[in-house]
Amino acid sequence: PLGGIYTGLKTSRADVILFLACDMPWVSVQLLRRVARAISLKTEAVFTKQNRFAGFPFALRVTALAQVERQIGTGDFSLQTLARNLQGKFVRAKMSELVDLDTPDDLAQARRRLKLVVRKS
């Protein structure tokens, strides 16, 4: 994802960017708010913690562009390295919010889950 992060930071006019994954349909507004609120003037990055790893969604200050450029230049495209080098803060999320859809089976499970939610409402 470092290429997309680079493009977002390089082209944005905002001070902070919230990065989302397109294959994570259960991310809540509450989680996005917690990530956004956790970034401060002294914090360059806030990541969601997934099984002890930095993951999506996350927020970066545009000042993180220099670190992203350095990593790309050395061929290190790791989000974990970026989180470590930026000394990112972490927020916890429910595992159910961090489910991603990578396979046809993941999609089938998501469809079943959605049917359950619709039936309850």
Side-chain angles (χ1 to χ4, degrees), residues 3-14 17 19 62 65 69:
I5 294 167
Y6 170 83
T7 300
L9 294 173
K10 185 79 171 174
T11 60
S12 179
R13 288 185 258 153
I17 300 173
F19 290 89
V62 293
L65 178 61
E69 288 175 330

Side-chain angles (χ1 to χ4, degrees), residues 17-28:
I17 300 173
L18 182 63
F19 290 89
L20 307 169
C22 63
D23 64 347
M24 295 174 74
W26 312 120
V27 172
S28 69

